[in-house]
Amino acid sequence: MKLVIEENERKMSESAMYILLGAMMQDKRVNISLTSGRSPRTMYELMVPLVKDQEKFKDIQYYLFDDNPFVGEPHGGNWKEMHELFFDPANIPDDRIHIPSLENWKDFDEEIRQAGGIDVMVIGLGWDGHFCGNCPRCTPLDSYTYCLEFKEKQAVNPTYPDRPTQPYSITMGPKSLMRVKHLVMIVNGKEKAEILKKFIEEPVSNEIPSTVLKLHPNFTVICDKDAASLLNDSYDRL
């Protein structure tokens, strides 16, 4: 694992963006996996004018790694949020966007493998140590993409809100992420300082599912100084 501590959120976002753009410049189909949420917002703001309507990026395919579909609809909030954050502003057509669903989740990993694998995936670190849809005490650490009824997650995560209109959680599992060629985690803000410290210092466990990602052979964690405020100075050189 490589840890990069940047001065602020913008510098963190720039570093992650450069990794993405570097991969996207390859003269072949490139498969990129992106995250929604608060942490990548600045990165997307920086990327949109560089990617929008650019012929050199026409072979880029985009993958979303989780979703909670609404009842009676094919997709959930992740699909909608990613369109608002990046896909719509960057004019990315839907036929270049792939997401696990109730119809395809069993075949999702094989589809990615047949397409050449994920070249770069950017993820965040959840406040409780979750990553993608892999939550504490209910993540099968030996799983590829899987689907859970939300009531199953609720039983082991009682603080999670009810989602009666989104009864299923579909996510790429730990084994799916181990196949990614370059895994990048971005973490920013003082509110993430405690969980980042636990993630780095504690052993692999289902209590903090993200700890399993430290086993990935090409894993980069990029954070700002606020998120790194509880780490020892020695981590600057990891």
Side-chain angles (χ1 to χ4, degrees):
M1 184 187 82
K2 179 177 182 180
L3 176 64
V4 178
I5 301 175
E6 298 288 11
E7 185 68 29
N8 51 47
E9 179 187 346
R10 184 179 181 87
K11 292 293 185 182
M12 176 203 75
S13 301
E14 289 176 346
S15 290
M17 178 184 70
Y18 293 146
I19 292 173
L20 285 171
L21 292 177
M24 292 165 66
M25 290 297 290
Q26 298 177 84
D27 186 20
K28 68 177 185 70
R29 169 176 170 147
V30 175
N31 302 317
I32 301 294
S33 184
L34 300 175
T35 183
S36 58
R38 178 182 59 81
S39 296
R41 289 176 181 270
T42 299
M43 182 183 74
Y44 294 142
E45 290 173 3
L46 295 170
M47 280 187 66
V48 164
L50 301 178
V51 173
K52 184 177 181 180
D53 300 327
Q54 293 295 307
E55 179 69 14
K56 60 188 174 185
F57 296 134
K58 63 181 175 59
D59 294 326
I60 309 302
Q61 299 289 316
Y62 297 90
Y63 288 80
L64 302 180
F65 45 67
D66 66 355
D67 202 21
N68 303 103
F70 291 104
V71 173
E73 299 182 26
H75 306 303
N78 194 24
W79 176 268
K80 179 180 179 181
E81 184 175 349
M82 280 303 304
H83 273 77
E84 293 173 350
L85 287 175
F86 181 68
F87 295 138
D88 288 348
N91 282 348
I92 307 298
D94 282 358
D95 61 6
R96 287 167 51 198
I97 305 169
H98 312 269
I99 188 170
S101 67
L102 290 172
E103 287 72 35
N104 74 357
W105 69 266
K106 292 181 181 179
D107 301 315
F108 198 60
D109 291 285
E110 180 60 19
E111 291 175 9
I112 292 172
R113 192 185 72 81
Q114 293 289 341
I118 301 293
D119 292 281
V120 181
M121 175 185 281
V122 177
I123 64 172
L125 176 63
W127 60 271
D128 58 355
H130 76 262
F131 68 96
C132 306
N134 299 284
C135 299
R137 297 177 299 283
C138 61
T139 294
L141 296 179
D142 61 347
S143 177
Y144 292 103
T145 299
Y146 63 96
C147 177
L148 285 178
E149 283 194 68
F150 198 77
K151 64 182 181 181
E152 296 176 39
K153 297 179 69 177
Q154 188 81 347
V156 290
N157 295 280
T159 63
Y160 284 16
D162 289 329
R163 292 186 179 181
T165 63
Q166 296 172 283
Y168 294 98
S169 171
I170 306 167
T171 185
M172 293 176 71
K175 279 190 172 181
S176 303
L177 270 70
M178 291 300 168
R179 287 180 168 180
V180 172
K181 297 170 188 175
H182 189 179
L183 182 61
V184 179
M185 176 186 284
I186 53 176
V187 191
N188 62 292
K190 283 192 176 296
E191 66 274 15
K192 294 291 180 72
E194 184 174 352
I195 192 60
L196 179 61
K197 180 179 175 65
K198 289 181 178 179
F199 160 74
I200 289 177
E201 295 183 354
E202 295 191 10
V204 173
S205 78
N206 206 294
E207 289 292 320
I208 304 178
S210 54
T211 52
V212 73
L213 300 178
K214 293 186 289 186
L215 302 177
H216 193 285
N218 188 19
F219 182 34
T220 302
V221 178
I222 309 173
C223 62
D224 62 10
K225 283 193 171 180
D226 283 343
S229 59
L230 298 181
L231 302 181
N232 296 325
D233 292 339
S234 60
Y235 289 123
D236 287 335
R237 294 182 174 83
L238 284 178

